């Protein structure tokens, strides 16, 4: 049977202010702003990426919270990095709140937090 789905078009992240968050994602992560309006900013991670990141203004913002579990997961998705050590050091150097690196060998990962306290993951690709 063929899979019904073949990718992810967009990731939606709750934020407080589209202008401030778009600037943070641009400066800290290198995302490119596609368009912005009062209630959202739509950004592209990389030129070749088909997935966009939608920063959506929420009325009563609370950071994304993954329910407690025994698997050790605290975020909903991981971004990919082909140079995870460089990515980690870049975020630390920019004073981004970053958790310690986990894993070993080709399976390396870490969590960092955006301007609004949303946990975002990075995994070695």
């Amino acid at each position: 049977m063929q899979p019904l789905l073949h990718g992810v078009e967009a990731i939606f992240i709750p934020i407080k202010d589209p202008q401030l968050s778009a600037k943070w994602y641009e400066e800290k992560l290198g995302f490119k702003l596609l368009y912005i309006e009062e209630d959202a900013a739509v950004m592209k991670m990389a030129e070749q990426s088909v997935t966009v990141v939608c920063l959506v203004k929420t009325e009563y913002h609370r950071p994304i919270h993954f329910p407690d579990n025994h698997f050790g997961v605290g975020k909903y998705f991981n971004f990919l990095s082909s140079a995870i050590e460089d990515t980690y050091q870049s975020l630390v150097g920019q004073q981004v709140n970053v958790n310690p690196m986990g894993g070993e060998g080709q399976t390396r990962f870490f969590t960092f937090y955006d301007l609004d306290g949303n946990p975002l993951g990075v995994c070695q690709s």
Side-chain angles (χ1 to χ4, degrees):
M1 179 174 150
Q2 288 282 21
L4 293 176
L5 308 172
H6 63 87
V8 174
E9 185 270 336
I11 296 170
F12 298 91
I13 301 174
I15 49 96
K16 295 176 188 173
D17 182 315
Q19 292 280 352
L20 291 175
S21 289
K23 184 176 179 185
W24 188 93
Y25 278 75
E26 206 167 41
E27 291 176 356
K28 306 294 185 189
L29 305 179
F31 287 14
K32 181 181 180 221
L33 182 65
L34 296 178
Y35 67 89
I36 191 164
E37 53 189 63
E38 185 179 335
D39 293 319
V42 178
M43 307 193 81
K44 198 162 195 175
M45 290 181 277
E47 205 56 47
Q48 69 276 15
S49 176
V50 296
T51 306
V52 295
V53 174
C54 298
L55 307 172
V56 180
K57 182 178 179 179
T58 56
E59 208 167 310
Y60 303 104
H61 182 270
R62 285 179 306 214
I64 299 168
H65 175 75
F66 197 91
D68 293 338
N69 61 85
H70 297 289
F71 194 61
V73 175
K75 68 246 177 224
Y76 282 92
F77 50 86
N78 285 331
F79 292 110
L80 295 172
S81 172
S82 57
I84 197 161
E85 288 287 344
D86 293 342
T87 302
Y88 187 87
Q89 292 306 324
S90 175
L91 293 173
V92 168
Q94 296 179 78
Q95 285 80 47
V96 172
N97 182 7
V98 182
N99 288 355
M101 181 103 53
E104 56 187 52
Q106 286 300 103
T107 309
R108 305 284 313 240
F109 53 87
F110 66 89
T111 299
F112 68 99
Y113 300 84
D114 74 2
L115 181 65
D116 294 304
N118 293 306
L120 307 170
V122 177
C123 187
Q124 178 76 35
S125 65

